[in-house]
């Protein structure tokens, strides 16, 4: 069995893979990272670990120590100019985030056609993958909750309050939630237009806010649990 890790800015997501089957998936907050040792202890025999880490060297080192206690070496992927069916057209391919690279590989493996690859977490990323498998570039914007929190932090009278989407909001909380959703959805739909003309183009959407965004998107859409883990599952067959 292989252990696959998606280490983001606030949490670690893990998946246990045997061949082409997921045996289990879960998540641990980085603020409670020591608890991952208990997860490791309950996984049973693991052959190797492959991961994408954008949380930095300190977190990577802590995880490496936990894995070493189980006799495992921490293998962290690095973006490359080409591989796994994807050509990386970033001006400096090595500067692309490891998580975005893995998500692109996962999207290509799952869909095989043009796609807008969207991850909606602490930040929202929307990356263009054409029908030939070329990553053409993408955008990064604050995630849905980060947008709401910035209004509460940096304005005097706009609270971080629960609201709901309304076509014509008439409460401040609803106005905030609706405005932030419009900003996210608008950015995604504008980016999707760049691949919409290609045959079979889809928006592949994953991340913590995917469930909030999906009902408001007016483009061909497929929800995926975790594209980074899917990409790592594909990569491990060739690494």
């Amino acid at each position: 069995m292989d252990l696959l890790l998606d280490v983001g800015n606030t949490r670690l997501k893990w998946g246990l893979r045997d061949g082409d089957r997921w045996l289990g998936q879960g998540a641990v907050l980085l603020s409670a990272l020591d608890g991952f040792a208990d997860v490791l202890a309950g996984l049973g025999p693991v052959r190797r670990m492959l991961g994408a880490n954008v949380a930095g060297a300190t977190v990577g080192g802590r995880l490496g120590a936990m894995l070493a206690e189980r006799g495992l070496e921490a293998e962290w992927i690095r973006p490359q100019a080409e591989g796994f069916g994807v050509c990386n057209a970033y001006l400096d391919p090595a500067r692309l985030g490891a998580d975005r690279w893995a998500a692109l590989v996962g999207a290509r493996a799952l869909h095989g056609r043009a796609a807008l690859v969207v991850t909606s977490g602490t930040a929202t990323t929307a990356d263009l993958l054409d029908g030939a498998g070329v990553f053409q570039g993408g955008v990064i914007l604050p995630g849905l909750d980060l947008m709401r929190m910035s209004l509460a932090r940096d304005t005097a009278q706009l609270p971080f309050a629960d609201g709901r989407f309304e076509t014509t909001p008439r409460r401040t909380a609803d106005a905030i939630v609706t405005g932030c959703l419009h900003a996210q959805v608008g950015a995604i739909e504008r980016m999707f237009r760049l691949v919409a003309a290609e045959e079979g183009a889809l928006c592949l959407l994953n991340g913590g806010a995917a469930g909030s965004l999906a009902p408001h998107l007016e483009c061909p859409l497929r929800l995926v649990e975790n594209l980074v883990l899917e990409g790592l599952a594909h990569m491990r067959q060739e690494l």
Side-chain angles (χ1 to χ4, degrees), residues 52 56 60 62 76 107 136 140 189 213:
R62 289 175 64 189
W76 302 113
Q136 298 286 0
I140 304 173
E189 290 181 347
L213 296 175

Side-chain angles (χ1 to χ4, degrees), residues 91-217:
L91 293 179
D92 181 354
R95 298 288 293 174
L96 182 67
D99 54 346
R100 292 170 71 193
W101 173 242
L104 288 161
V105 171
R108 189 65 180 171
L110 289 176
H111 183 53
R113 295 187 179 186
L116 182 68
V117 182
V118 179
T119 299
S120 53
T122 304
T124 296
T125 58
D127 291 329
L128 294 162
L129 189 62
D130 70 18
V134 179
F135 165 52
Q136 298 286 0
V139 299
I140 304 173
L141 60 153
L144 185 57
D145 285 345
L146 191 55
M147 282 186 170
R148 294 171 60 205
M149 286 189 289
S150 68
L151 286 171
R153 183 187 65 239
D154 297 329
T155 59
Q157 298 184 41
L158 294 180
F160 185 76
D162 289 334
R164 63 184 183 183
F165 181 88
E166 295 284 356
T167 303
T168 53
R170 290 180 289 177
R171 292 192 315 133
T172 299
D174 295 342
I176 291 171
V177 169
T178 302
C180 292
L181 278 167
H182 276 314
Q184 298 279 318
V185 168
I188 292 168
E189 290 181 347
R190 284 176 65 90
M191 291 297 291
F192 185 77
R193 291 175 200 165
L194 300 176
V195 292
E198 296 201 47
E199 183 180 357
L202 274 181
C203 173
L204 297 178
L205 176 64
N206 76 132
S212 297
L213 296 175
H216 304 286
L217 285 166

Side-chain angles (χ1 to χ4, degrees), residues 23-104:
L23 300 183
Q25 293 187 17
V28 176
L29 290 172
L30 295 190
S31 59
L33 188 59
D34 289 344
F36 186 61
D38 296 330
V39 173
L40 283 173
L43 290 181
V46 175
R47 183 176 67 94
R48 70 183 294 203
M49 187 290 288
L50 185 67
N53 176 23
V54 297
T58 299
V59 171
R62 289 175 64 189
L63 288 169
M66 292 182 197
L67 291 162
E69 291 181 359
R70 293 287 309 275
L72 293 169
E73 179 182 356
E75 298 179 60
W76 302 113
I77 65 162
R78 296 181 182 275
Q80 54 196 72
E82 188 169 1
F84 315 104
V86 176
C87 178
N88 181 357
Y90 231 43
L91 293 179
D92 181 354
R95 298 288 293 174
L96 182 67
D99 54 346
R100 292 170 71 193
W101 173 242
L104 288 161

Side-chain angles (χ1 to χ4, degrees), residues 5-8 10-14 26-28 30 33 36 63:
L5 302 184
D6 170 14
V7 188
T10 61
R11 68 180 59 201
L12 175 157
K13 299 176 184 178
W14 61 268
V28 176
L30 295 190
L33 188 59
F36 186 61
L63 288 169

